[in-house]
């Protein structure tokens, strides 16, 4: 790990993303906390109350917003070592509908954030990682995207996470000549706005495997799916 490593976490004004920022900052990583809403981002930054976390606005569905944060990162740090594709949505319509009735627009909207957003961020930032031949990319996926246990319900969300996992495999292979590791993780069912407040785990537990993977050495795994620091089936 570089002694001035820089991490960018998408969708980190709350939930698992905020906890990932907190845990990375404790490991002396310079962290860029991002939020699509300025006020929410500034509020989250205050909660962390540490000098090695910076806030910058980012909406991963908006190419101009991605350009903007890329310029900020380039000017301020000149590198990015850790990229956590955490931002995600789970639409209410998807929680009640079924595959035969779900409006295709809801699938499209879910993919726009959960899949295309992560792809867009990688397309912008990976060349900077390649320049330094270093990178750790973690895609925050879900067990709900596992094909090995795929079943009905939550159609749009499940499809988006399965597709995100496919993207993990594809980009890990694309980058295998570089010291850039790409993995998917499932944080487990966590108490957040997305997971609901009856969930089993705290967001801090959900953040653990992503932070652990972000700090792995050069000979570590790439192109796998992890939960609780262990490999799981796709
Ligand atoms: P959360 O508390 O709802 O946080 C989601 C974050 O994503 C928020 O900061 C949200 O911003 C942001 N976001 C949504 N759309 C965005 C966009 N277009 N651009 C930038 N940021 C955007 O949810 P969470 O539970 O922490 O979820 C984090 C990740 O873990 C997601 O990928 C989710 O699918 C995954 N996950 C969660 C669970 C669970 O049980 N909680 C389980 C498995 C996987 P706003 O505040 O502006 O909405």
């Amino acid at each position: 790990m570089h002694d001035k490593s820089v991490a960018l976490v998408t969708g980190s004004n709350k939930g698992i993303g905020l906890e990932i920022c907190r845990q990375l900052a404790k490991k002396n990583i310079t962290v860029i906390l991002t939020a699509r809403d300025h006020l929410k981002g500034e509020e989250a930054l205050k909660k962390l109350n540490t000098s090695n976390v910076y806030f910058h606005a980012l909406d991963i569905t908006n190419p101009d917003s991605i350009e903007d944060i890329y310029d900020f990162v380039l000017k301020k740090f000149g590198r990015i070592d850790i990229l956590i594709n955490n931002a995600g949505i789970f639409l209410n319509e998807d929680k009640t509908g079924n595959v035969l009735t779900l409006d295709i627009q809801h699938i499209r909207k879910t993919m726009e954030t959960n899949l295309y957003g992560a792809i867009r961020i990688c397309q912008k930032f990976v060349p900077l990682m390649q320049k330094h031949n270093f990178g750790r990319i973690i895609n925050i996926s879900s067990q709900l995207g596992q094909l090995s246990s795929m079943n009905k319900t939550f159609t749009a969300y499940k499809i988006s996470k399965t597709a995100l996992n496919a993207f993990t495999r594809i980009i890990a292979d694309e980058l295998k000549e570089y010291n850039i590791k790409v993995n998917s993780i499932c944080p487990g069912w966590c108490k957040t706005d997305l997971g609901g407040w009856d969930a089993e785990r705290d967001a801090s537990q959900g953040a653990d495997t992503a932070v652990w993977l972000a700090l792995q050495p050069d000979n570590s795994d790439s192109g796998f799916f992890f939960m609780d620091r262990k490999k799981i089936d796709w």
Side-chain angles (χ1 to χ4, degrees):
M1 187 64 47
H2 189 255
D3 63 353
K4 286 210 170 101
S5 292
V6 181
L8 188 154
V9 186
T10 68
S12 44
N13 52 291
K14 63 180 182 179
I16 295 163
L18 180 59
E19 289 306 317
I20 291 172
C21 290
R22 191 194 307 279
Q23 291 177 26
L24 285 173
K26 281 202 178 127
K27 303 275 184 192
N28 289 325
I29 307 289
T30 297
V31 179
I32 308 160
L33 179 159
T34 68
R36 48 186 169 176
D37 182 294
H38 262 273
L39 283 177
K40 287 182 188 171
E42 297 288 359
E43 282 300 312
L45 189 64
K46 276 190 212 151
K47 279 185 203 159
L48 295 188
N49 189 27
T50 168
S51 60
N52 56 335
V53 184
Y54 297 77
F55 165 67
H56 198 281
L58 173 62
D59 180 338
I60 62 165
T61 64
N62 179 343
D64 291 342
S65 174
I66 294 174
E67 286 298 328
D68 199 37
I69 194 168
Y70 180 78
D71 289 346
F72 165 77
V73 169
L74 204 57
K75 283 192 192 114
K76 185 137 187 89
F77 307 107
R79 61 186 297 127
I80 201 82
D81 303 282
I82 297 167
L83 182 55
I84 316 271
N85 285 310
N86 167 77
I89 58 170
F90 192 168
L91 298 177
N92 282 333
E93 298 83 348
D94 196 21
K95 293 174 187 165
T96 50
N98 75 49
V99 67
L100 298 176
T101 55
L102 183 69
D103 189 331
I104 293 291
Q105 284 300 347
H106 298 321
I107 304 180
R108 203 169 271 146
K109 191 169 172 193
T110 304
M111 296 296 261
E112 198 61 55
T113 301
N114 295 5
L115 177 66
Y116 310 148
I119 295 177
R120 279 201 183 97
I121 292 287
C122 286
Q123 287 178 339
K124 193 67 215 175
F125 282 96
V126 165
L128 192 54
M129 289 179 160
Q130 287 174 302
K131 197 173 145 203
H132 296 278
N133 192 32
F134 188 91
R136 302 289 180 264
I137 301 172
I138 294 100
N139 292 328
I140 309 298
S141 181
S142 168
Q143 271 188 308
L144 293 178
Q146 276 180 310
L147 281 174
S148 50
S149 58
M150 189 57 65
N151 58 9
K152 65 183 183 181
T153 74
F154 311 149
T155 303
Y157 186 78
K158 285 178 173 175
I159 288 174
S160 74
K161 294 300 189 182
T162 308
L164 181 66
N165 285 347
F167 173 58
T168 295
R169 297 285 297 228
I170 291 165
I171 190 169
D173 191 41
E174 185 78 40
L175 295 172
K176 69 181 179 210
E177 306 303 331
Y178 293 86
N179 181 17
I180 303 176
K181 314 291 180 188
V182 193
N183 292 288
S184 280
I185 71 118
C186 174
W189 188 29
C190 299
K191 293 181 186 31
T192 66
D193 285 345
L194 186 149
W197 300 95
D198 295 332
E200 299 157 342
R201 301 174 169 208
D202 291 330
S204 59
Q205 288 170 273
D208 173 76
T209 299
V211 173
W212 171 76
L213 273 174
L215 303 176
Q216 286 301 300
D218 294 353
N219 61 355
S220 58
D221 288 317
S222 186
F224 290 92
F225 193 11
F226 287 86
M227 183 172 171
D228 295 334
R229 302 190 180 196
K230 293 188 180 67
K231 287 178 189 163
I232 59 170
D233 287 343
W234 293 107

